[in-house]
Amino acid sequence: MRLPILLSLLATLCISGNALAAEATKTPSAAQTAQRQKMTDCNQQATTQSLKGDERKTFMSHCLKAETQTNDKALSTQQNKMKSCNADAAKKELKGDARKTFMSECLKKAA
């Protein structure tokens, strides 16, 4: 008597569990979709270059990081200061201690 009740209860749980699992699928977010696209693009590039093993891992790492860095990061104010002072020092063709002194003065002025 208990066995048929137990089997029907078990069958009901299995059927309802499958129905709930089918409804639980989520659509990927925009960020996830973008990441998948980056992975696909970098993977195709690595395949066309016939990269394998460690070379492929390194390439994939750089490929994925390069796209995120260029999109997410702009130069900070300190980096802009360094860039302009470095360009000025290069125009004046300064080397060694003269360059160090110039860079120090330039960065202090810009602050």
Side-chain angles (χ1 to χ4, degrees):
M1 179 84 173
R2 289 184 180 172
L3 187 60
I5 294 171
L6 185 60
L7 289 176
S8 63
L9 181 61
L10 185 60
T12 305
L13 288 174
C14 288
I15 292 170
S16 64
N18 288 338
L20 291 175
E23 293 175 13
T25 57
K26 296 180 182 178
T27 57
S29 68
Q32 289 171 332
T33 305
Q35 181 66 19
R36 285 182 185 173
Q37 186 60 43
K38 281 189 235 179
M39 286 288 292
T40 302
D41 294 343
C42 291
N43 197 21
Q44 287 174 349
Q45 290 175 11
T47 302
T48 58
Q49 295 177 15
S50 301
L51 298 176
K52 300 202 188 256
D54 290 336
E55 289 178 340
R56 186 181 189 92
K57 288 179 188 176
T58 304
F59 173 80
M60 291 293 288
S61 177
H62 290 295
C63 181
L64 293 171
K65 287 179 184 177
E67 290 181 16
T68 57
Q69 287 177 351
T70 56
N71 293 338
D72 295 341
K73 252 186 177 179
L75 290 178
S76 69
T77 55
Q78 181 65 24
Q79 288 172 325
N80 283 330
K81 288 180 204 176
M82 287 290 291
K83 187 176 180 180
S84 65
C85 291
N86 201 15
D88 291 343
K91 286 180 187 174
K92 295 181 180 186
E93 298 178 0
L94 297 174
K95 306 242 187 246
D97 289 336
R99 184 181 182 88
K100 288 180 188 176
T101 305
F102 173 80
M103 289 294 287
S104 177
E105 299 281 327
C106 181
L107 292 171
K108 287 177 186 174
K109 289 179 191 175

